[in-house]
Amino acid sequence: MLEAILSLGGVGFFAALALGFAARKFAVEVDAREAAILEVLPGANCGACGFPGCGGYARAVASGAVAPELCPPGGPETVARIARIIGVAAIAVDPQVAVVICQGDQQRATEKYRYLGISDCRAAQKLADGPKTCPGGCLGLGTCAAICPFGAITMTDQHLAVIDRDKCVGCRKCVEPCPRQVIKMTPRSVSVHVLCNSHDKGALVRQYCQVGCIACQLCKKVAPEAYVIEDFLARVDYRHAVKPTAGVEVAIEKCPTHCIRDDNPPPAPVPDEKPAPQAA
Amino acid sequence: MKIKRFSGGLHPPEHKSTAARAIEQCSLPDELVIPLAQHIGAPAEPCVVIGDTVAKGQLIAQPRGFVSVPIHASSSGVVTAVEPRLHPMGRPLLAIVIKPDGRDAWPDGLEGGMNPLLVNPLTLPPSRLRDMVCNAGVVGLGGATFPTHVKLSPPGGKKIDTLILNGVECEPYLTADHRLMLEETGRVLAGIDILRRILGVERVCIGIEENKPDAIAVMRDACVRRDIEVIALKVMYPQGAEKQLILAVTGRQTPSGGLPMDVGVVVQNVGTAAAVADAIIHGRPLVERIATITGPALVEPKNLRIRIGTSLRHLVAECGGLREEVVKVIMGGPMMGQTQLSLDVPAIRGTSGLLLLGKNAVATRSEGPCIRCARCVSVCPARLLPTTISAYARRDMIAEAERFNALDCIECGCCAYSCPARIPLVQSIRQVKGAILAKRRLS
């Protein structure tokens, strides 16, 4: 009994000594700031910063190689905290949110052919530029929804991608894979968008979509500051703060094809535990 | 004697109902739409403007770069537009539109018989012959439309010792090459002589599938004194795929990522050989081809000699119109052909056939789960694992798909055809091939 205790205890003692020695001898020096930065990062490992995961970004920031404002999911709060850790002034970042600028689902927009292949927009786009007649419309096969690391994109029954403003952190991961570039990054402070991505002329748009922008100029007439029309497509001029501009709401009502929408409409119950952060 | 073949593959129903129908000349359409992108490589550049009067066979677009070919007017008439028109690829692409004047005559000198410029084309140096092939706009007429002069210009270090003529025509429904070999044997053989002269090869073989015994007999008779082997091949799709044909005929395996020239072989379609003969002997550019217009939805399927640029609608009318509503229109064969959005697209150089299917001939069942039956693996002629590559492709695991040699897929469609769960295997593999190539271009 005693022998067993002594021999096992002895082995344990020597192993502890060896480990203790190794821990000191081969210690890897960790920048304390790196650990601190990793602590404040969201930990989603989404890759939006361009680094492999939050750890990679923390290391890069701690070494001073990159700026602290590359983490869109963290928002301005995280930027401020990182800036405090590495001792630089926080740079104002405009929080962004992704928007699918299309409302042409299966009911509202026509199709050139019936697509029966794999459920991937990029694959469908290779077959005669996709089944949708509109050259810019959402194909609705869910490539972006599968990619979104935050579960912010859902597909409607009528095959249209819809982004939940509250879940979207602005990581941009969905923007590049979309073969029709129908997802745009917009300032979070603005909730009014022109939801159309077709640069075709109005008469043509009417042929294939009930809710497409026909470039009738009405919105621009009502609120010249808030809307621009380029290449037969209206869009909100995000440089101007849209909300206070007179006529924005009027334009939404006047739009004959209802392709301007406010994502924060007062009648709809908006969960107010997380109001849109203001641009710092 | 053991019948030669490759490993894998399958034998879909042949449906070659037009095999006994002689080639007919298609009537002149009201309008010819001639796209500038009809070949692999850079599209040609138009050298005519609206209002120009053009003769049959006149140059209307010049090649841009080495891997490109010129394009010629397929009938005499007036250029009425140079604008984007719906292309068989499915999107509008720049095309030259010609309104034929009805004369449709070759200009003097190209009328028939020998090109007056030449005495015996076989005495010309190979480089001159190659230039003539290029200037005539000859491309691979099997369907891939790769510029022929490029294939005939092997880079310095490569020694070519064998020329294989592809008379396999393994796609179901198609019989155009079959009829060509039967009816225009002389053109094909003249083309082979010229190709042999250009490449300077000793061994010449013609591979023909066993289901065309008449063509094999005719070619054997004609080749007796020419030192050309006619090889009967097992009826097995895709016997006509370049690498599979080389394996069956010579026993040589083209290395992964390699080209036929890496094993000393050049493969040309029999239709291409005939076009080469026209180009050299008559000085006639490639402005027409033979195509099989067929399918259960058609009243009278035919083998037609069509002018490049004839609309599919005209071809359908030429075959007596439709007997039922068409659900699917395929340009080329049913295995590798391209589904068309509309009949208002032109037939181009790669149009080996037109297939019109009614609703009884089209399966629209949606896909089910993979049951691991491995039928796709046993039929794959490239010896790949289609189900594995496809699974990686659908998870965007590009590097893994590349490791499983996705790039060696020849997109023959055997895997998808044999899949009991109807999984679109080729589509996902094609998708990941594109992603791999895009990644390589970036790095």
Side-chain angles (χ1 to χ4, degrees):
Chain A
M1 179 66 192
L2 188 66
E3 292 148 6
I5 293 170
L6 280 179
S7 57
L8 274 179
V11 169
F13 180 69
F14 279 108
L17 270 182
L19 280 172
F21 175 74
R24 287 188 176 241
K25 174 86 179 168
F26 303 112
V28 179
E29 265 191 51
V30 181
D31 191 336
R33 297 183 303 171
E34 185 185 320
I37 294 169
L38 192 56
E39 197 69 23
V40 300
L41 285 172
N45 292 319
C46 69
C49 50
F51 290 88
C54 295
Y57 180 57
R59 197 169 310 128
V61 175
S63 70
V66 293
E69 66 265 19
L70 294 182
C71 179
E77 254 173 69
T78 305
V79 177
R81 286 159 87 176
I82 298 173
R84 225 172 294 140
I85 293 165
I86 59 171
V88 298
I91 299 139
V93 284
D94 194 10
Q96 292 201 309
V97 66
V99 175
V100 177
I101 54 162
C102 176
Q103 300 186 96
D105 57 19
Q106 265 186 345
Q107 264 185 346
R108 294 157 168 170
T110 62
E111 293 195 326
K112 279 185 281 194
Y113 61 89
R114 198 165 147 223
Y115 177 76
L116 294 168
I118 52 174
S119 208
D120 184 315
C121 304
R122 293 164 296 182
Q125 179 71 12
K126 287 199 171 167
L127 300 173
D129 291 342
K132 205 152 246 177
T133 321
C134 172
C138 170
L139 290 175
L141 294 165
T143 297
C144 54
I147 282 172
C148 178
F150 300 94
I153 309 181
T154 47
M155 307 304 298
T156 66
D157 297 341
Q158 293 296 322
H159 296 275
L160 184 74
V162 175
I163 299 180
D164 185 338
R165 265 175 90 81
D166 296 327
K167 286 187 184 162
C168 176
V169 298
C171 74
R172 298 169 178 269
K173 284 205 115 174
C174 52
V175 173
E176 191 263 333
C178 176
R180 301 193 130 197
Q181 286 90 44
V182 74
I183 303 178
K184 303 283 184 209
M185 300 307 297
T186 60
R188 190 174 268 279
S189 52
V190 181
S191 61
V192 179
H193 310 287
V194 178
L195 300 178
C196 181
N197 194 33
S198 169
H199 286 282
D200 282 332
K201 289 182 183 173
L204 198 56
V205 172
R206 273 206 192 275
Q207 280 174 21
Y208 56 64
C209 186
Q210 296 170 19
V211 286
C213 170
I214 53 172
C216 66
Q217 314 269 345
L218 253 179
C219 52
K220 198 169 159 61
K221 269 179 210 151
V222 176
E225 288 244 303
Y227 298 98
V228 279
I229 294 172
E230 283 170 351
D231 201 9
F232 305 105
L233 179 62
R235 64 175 175 81
V236 174
D237 191 347
Y238 296 116
R239 286 171 309 168
H240 297 108
V242 162
K243 272 286 175 188
T245 315
V248 174
E249 268 83 17
V250 185
I252 294 173
E253 275 167 35
K254 285 231 169 166
C255 176
T257 56
H258 307 290
C259 65
I260 309 176
R261 196 182 67 193
D262 189 342
D263 272 337
N264 277 338
V270 183
D272 54 0
E273 84 269 18
K274 197 183 171 193
Q278 293 298 304
Chain B
M1 193 184 101
K2 190 168 170 282
I3 297 152
K4 296 191 173 181
R5 61 161 296 178
F6 60 97
S7 55
L10 43 78
H11 185 198
E14 292 176 24
H15 294 294
K16 295 200 186 250
S17 62
T18 48
R21 288 203 68 120
I23 302 164
E24 291 173 40
Q25 176 70 43
C26 178
S27 65
L28 192 64
D30 296 335
E31 185 184 68
L32 290 161
V33 178
I34 305 172
L36 297 169
Q38 293 190 48
H39 46 263
I40 290 180
E45 204 168 354
C47 57
V48 288
V49 291
I50 295 169
D52 282 2
T53 306
V54 292
K56 187 174 185 179
Q58 183 183 327
L59 182 76
I60 54 173
Q62 277 172 330
R64 242 190 309 202
F66 179 60
V67 186
S68 184
V69 284
I71 289 170
H72 306 81
S74 19
S75 184
S76 55
V78 180
V79 177
T80 53
V82 180
E83 62 187 17
R85 290 286 184 102
L86 190 60
H87 185 278
M89 293 270 287
R91 63 182 70 103
L93 290 173
L94 200 60
I96 296 172
V97 184
I98 295 173
K99 187 165 177 51
D101 57 15
R103 283 187 289 127
D104 191 48
W106 288 101
D108 292 342
L110 305 181
E111 199 54 64
M114 291 287 279
N115 184 344
L117 299 171
L118 292 172
V119 183
N120 180 2
L122 294 180
T123 57
L124 287 172
S127 61
R128 171 113 167 78
L129 291 171
R130 204 180 294 129
D131 287 347
M132 288 167 78
V133 168
C134 174
N135 292 338
V138 180
V139 296
L141 293 182
T145 64
F146 191 77
T148 301
H149 68 276
V150 180
K151 260 189 176 180
L152 297 177
S153 319
K158 308 274 187 215
K159 175 89 184 79
I160 304 295
D161 59 14
T162 308
L163 167 68
I164 300 176
L165 272 297
N166 189 346
V168 177
E169 201 158 55
C170 56
E171 279 266 8
Y173 288 99
L174 303 188
T175 55
D177 288 349
H178 184 184
R179 293 310 304 177
L180 175 81
M181 287 188 284
L182 280 182
E183 294 179 44
E184 298 176 10
T185 322
R187 267 174 87 209
V188 175
L189 290 171
I192 295 174
D193 287 342
I194 295 162
L195 291 170
R196 179 186 240 175
R197 163 88 180 144
I198 295 174
L199 290 166
V201 293
E202 282 302 310
R203 186 171 180 217
V204 181
C205 316
I206 305 177
I208 305 174
E209 262 187 347
E210 270 195 316
N211 59 359
K212 298 180 252 304
D214 46 353
I216 295 174
V218 166
M219 293 308 274
R220 278 218 171 112
D221 274 354
C223 293
V224 170
R225 273 169 291 114
R226 286 176 187 253
D227 192 21
I228 298 174
E229 289 172 64
V230 177
I231 296 173
L233 299 162
K234 191 164 171 64
V235 184
M236 189 60 74
Y237 178 86
Q239 185 66 78
E242 212 166 42
K243 290 170 186 175
Q244 279 60 39
L245 182 61
I246 293 170
L247 182 64
V249 169
T250 66
R252 297 177 195 169
Q253 196 154 24
T254 315
S256 170
L259 292 169
M261 63 174 74
D262 294 326
V263 288
V265 181
V266 166
V267 180
Q268 296 286 359
N269 185 269
V270 286
T272 314
V276 166
D278 288 352
I280 307 281
I281 297 172
H282 303 297
R284 284 183 190 170
L286 177 62
V287 296
E288 53 185 23
R289 65 157 299 142
I290 298 163
T292 306
I293 315 302
T294 183
L298 209 55
V299 171
E300 198 187 359
K302 286 179 180 175
N303 291 303
L304 289 180
R305 189 188 309 280
I306 56 173
R307 292 173 190 80
I308 308 301
T310 308
S311 83
L312 303 187
R313 200 174 289 285
H314 184 85
L315 298 178
V316 169
E318 190 76 13
C319 294
L322 300 167
R323 68 166 85 234
E324 59 174 313
E325 197 199 346
V326 172
V327 175
K328 202 165 198 174
V329 178
I330 303 174
M331 186 179 280
M335 298 297 284
M336 285 192 75
Q338 201 155 23
T339 307
Q340 297 300 313
L341 294 174
S342 149
L343 283 175
D344 294 312
V345 298
I348 55 174
R349 288 171 172 173
T351 306
S352 50
L354 178 65
L355 181 57
L356 297 126
L357 300 172
K359 69 172 184 298
N360 293 334
V362 178
T364 49
R365 223 175 75 202
S366 56
E367 85 174 277
C370 173
I371 58 167
R372 304 261 162 214
C373 65
R375 279 187 217 174
C376 55
V377 179
S378 54
V379 297
C380 179
R383 315 315 282 150
L384 300 173
L385 303 175
T387 174
T388 309
I389 299 173
S390 161
Y392 281 137
R394 295 174 87 158
R395 284 163 184 77
D396 268 336
M397 294 166 76
I398 297 165
E400 287 78 2
E402 190 175 2
R403 217 167 27 139
F404 277 81
N405 297 315
L407 287 181
D408 284 333
C409 169
I410 58 167
E411 302 176 16
C412 65
C414 285
C415 52
Y417 181 90
S418 62
C419 178
R422 290 258 192 276
I423 299 172
L425 293 158
V426 192
Q427 196 198 6
S428 47
I429 296 173
R430 186 184 277 182
Q431 172 70 14
V432 81
K433 279 171 79 178
I436 293 169
L437 293 174
K439 202 179 79 181
R440 283 196 183 171
R441 271 195 300 273
L442 275 179
S443 58

